Amino acid sequence: MSTLFSHHTQLLRVLGYKTDVVEFTSTEHTPRNLLLRAVRIEGGRASGPATAGSASRARGLKQRGQLLQQYDNLKAFWGGVTPRLEELLAPQLRQLRDDLAAAGM
């Protein structure tokens, strides 16, 4: 899998998507034959800080925070490259970072 697909799949997972990278054409026809498939999972978007009555939501937010840290580490490893997809999803990433900060994570 290419570096670009690594960035994209990790970013989409951070934002609550289940991702798959699948080969959709034989390599004898084209060397660029990967398809990134992303499906939004239930409760994929965090909204507001976690409260004591929302343990499940807090776990989900914590997990997404861990995925976000992994994504940030991946970016740093590759010299801080910022994929266009990240620019397009900047509002959602900002919201997630705000939610994490409000929850003290």
Side-chain angles (χ1 to χ4, degrees):
M1 180 170 31
S2 74
T3 302
L4 180 63
F5 273 97
S6 297
H7 279 85
H8 286 174
T9 56
Q10 185 67 20
L11 177 59
L12 289 167
R13 288 178 184 143
V14 165
L15 294 175
Y17 289 83
K18 178 182 180 283
T19 61
D20 294 307
V21 178
V22 294
E23 184 177 334
F24 67 94
T25 305
S26 164
T27 54
E28 66 190 48
H29 298 292
T30 177
R32 302 183 75 167
N33 63 351
L34 296 177
L35 171 71
L36 173 60
R37 179 175 46 197
V39 177
R40 184 79 174 215
I41 54 176
E42 186 77 28
R45 183 185 178 281
S47 56
T51 62
S54 60
S56 168
R57 186 190 171 291
R59 279 191 306 275
L61 188 59
K62 181 179 179 182
Q63 180 182 25
R64 291 179 61 208
Q66 291 168 341
L67 289 171
L68 182 58
Q69 182 62 50
Q70 291 171 4
Y71 177 74
D72 289 341
N73 292 343
L74 179 65
K75 277 184 59 174
F77 179 79
W78 289 106
V81 65
T82 301
R84 176 72 176 136
L85 183 61
E86 180 180 340
E87 295 172 5
L88 295 170
L89 296 173
Q92 292 91 330
L93 280 173
R94 246 186 324 277
Q95 180 66 52
L96 176 59
R97 289 183 194 280
D98 290 348
D99 291 349
L100 290 165
M105 295 183 195

